[in-house]
Amino acid sequence: MPISRPEQPVFRFAPSPNGLLHLGHALSAILNHDMAAAMGGRFLLRIEDIDRTRCRPEFEAAIFEDLAWLGLDWEEPVRRQSEHLGVYAAALERLKAMGLVYPAVMTRGEIRAAVAAAEAKGQAWPRDPDGTPLYPGRERGFTPDEQAALLASGRPYAWRLDMGEAVRCAGEPLTWRETGLSQSGEATSIVADPAAWGDVILSRSDAPSSYHLSVVVDDALQGITHVVRGRDLYHATSVHRLLQRLLDLPQPVYHHHRLVLGPDGRKLSKSDSDTGIAAFRAAGHRPADVRAMVLGER
C-alpha cells in the first residue's frame, strides 16, 4: 500500500452521500478549506460512500452543489470509497494474518439479552464513550476450525478487532496531537484509550469496511496531514491511532471543532431538513450568511 508523504499540509472534507449537508457540515468544510488556505496547503474532497444501501447519487450531486455555493474549491479527482474497496480488504487481511480480528455473529438482540442478563445479576456492563454496551466477545477465542464453521453457517457476521490483543500488539502507549482544545490552536498531546471501545467492527458481511478502517487507510493513502472534524469523533481517534500503529500508517494532526447544535441542544442531523445548506440557499440566504452563522461572525 503506497503511502504518500506530502511536503505541504493536506486537509480533507469527507461527507457521506446519505442525506443533505447541514450547518454542521458547512462548519467542518469551511474550517478545512480555510485552514488549508492559511497554511498554503491542499484541500481535498472525499466521498465516503461504502454503505451502498443508504448512499444515493442525488445526495452526492447535492454535496458538490452545496460546497460550490459556499465558495469552496477542491482538487480533482474526488476520491470515492466505493472505488477502492480492495485497499480496505487488503488492510483487513493484514490484521487477520496478525491474528487480531475474529468473525462475530451475535445479533443486536443477542447482545442486549447478554447485557440484560449480566445486569440482572448486579454486574455492571462496560460501555463505550458513546454509551453503547461493549461486545461480549463470545467468539473471541474460537479456533480456526470453529471460525471456518461459523463463516460457513450462512449467518450474517462481522469481523471485529480483538481489542485486548491489538493493544498488546501495539506496544507502547498511543497518543495523538490535538489542536482543537485551545483558542490558539496550540498542539496538546492526548493519551489514546482504544480499549474503551471494546471489540469494534472493522467489516461486515454486507459492508466491506467500517468507518474506522476505511478512514485511516484513506487518510494515509491521500497523505492527509491534518484531520479537522467534529468533537463527536474525538474519542474515536483512539481507535484510529491504534489502527495506524498496527498497519504502520502515518499519524496526522487532529483538530476536533465544536458542534453546531439545534434549538434542542442536540447536534444536527441530516433528517433535520430545515438546517440543511440547501434550505438556507432556497430561503434567500447568501453564502456569507451561512459562513457567519457557523463561524460566529455576527
Side-chain angles (χ1 to χ4, degrees):
M1 187 164 54
I3 303 300
S4 173
R5 299 183 184 277
E7 297 180 357
Q8 64 184 131
V10 183
F11 293 73
R12 50 77 166 171
F13 176 59
S16 294
N18 54 13
L20 297 175
L21 299 185
H22 53 60
L23 291 180
H25 296 111
L27 173 60
S28 193
I30 290 171
L31 285 177
N32 273 283
H33 179 272
D34 290 2
M35 291 172 73
M39 298 176 66
R42 300 164 56 203
F43 174 62
L44 308 183
L45 176 62
R46 181 165 74 224
I47 301 297
E48 299 196 338
D49 60 347
I50 284 182
D51 187 351
R52 304 307 293 169
T53 62
R54 299 176 59 207
C55 295
R56 289 156 46 183
E58 58 266 35
F59 290 140
E60 180 177 318
I63 289 172
F64 297 143
E65 183 179 7
D66 287 344
L67 297 181
W69 178 75
L70 287 172
L72 310 185
D73 54 356
W74 53 88
E75 294 185 12
E76 297 284 354
V78 171
R79 182 181 179 88
R80 293 174 178 81
Q81 289 185 334
S82 59
E83 299 173 353
H84 301 276
L85 301 182
V87 297
Y88 314 131
L92 181 63
E93 288 300 318
R94 180 171 175 180
L95 295 172
K96 288 180 185 179
M98 298 168 69
L100 299 180
V101 296
Y102 64 90
V105 297
M106 290 183 71
T107 65
R108 292 180 180 178
E110 290 172 329
I111 296 171
R112 285 195 297 269
V115 173
E119 292 181 336
K121 298 177 183 178
Q123 302 174 11
W125 195 274
R127 283 170 164 74
D128 68 23
D130 288 339
T132 303
L134 300 192
Y135 188 71
R138 184 178 66 187
E139 311 90 342
R140 191 182 300 122
F142 278 16
T143 66
D145 287 343
E146 290 172 326
Q147 290 186 359
L150 196 65
L151 294 173
S153 69
R155 294 188 62 181
Y157 65 88
W159 286 100
R160 287 183 176 269
L161 184 68
D162 183 339
M163 184 59 73
E165 192 59 33
V167 170
R168 284 190 289 272
C169 183
E172 62 185 42
L174 297 159
T175 61
W176 80 82
R177 291 180 62 205
E178 173 68 45
T179 63
L181 299 181
S182 67
Q183 292 289 341
S184 66
E186 182 179 353
T188 302
S189 180
I190 306 297
V191 177
D193 183 20
W197 290 93
D199 295 352
V200 295
I201 291 176
L202 297 183
S203 176
R204 300 195 312 266
S205 51
D206 62 344
S209 178
S210 72
Y211 168 74
H212 295 309
L213 183 60
S214 58
V215 74
V216 298
V217 170
D218 282 338
D219 284 344
L221 289 176
Q222 291 191 285
I224 304 301
T225 60
H226 293 72
V227 172
V228 179
R229 59 192 184 186
R231 286 182 187 160
D232 52 333
L233 291 169
Y234 178 88
H235 293 289
T237 308
S238 290
V239 177
H240 302 165
R241 284 293 299 117
L242 175 61
L243 291 173
Q244 288 160 354
R245 173 73 61 80
L246 297 174
L247 295 170
D248 297 320
L249 302 177
Q251 64 163 308
V253 176
Y254 288 91
H255 181 103
H256 293 90
H257 60 73
R258 63 177 176 81
L259 301 178
V260 178
L261 305 179
D264 59 359
R266 298 182 179 181
K267 73 173 185 175
L268 300 181
S269 168
K270 289 180 178 177
S271 61
D272 300 326
S273 58
D274 57 339
T275 64
I277 297 172
F280 284 98
R281 181 168 66 249
H285 289 279
R286 301 169 302 160
D289 297 330
V290 172
R291 176 179 282 269
M293 290 178 198
V294 299
L295 295 180
E297 295 176 355
R298 281 182 177 167

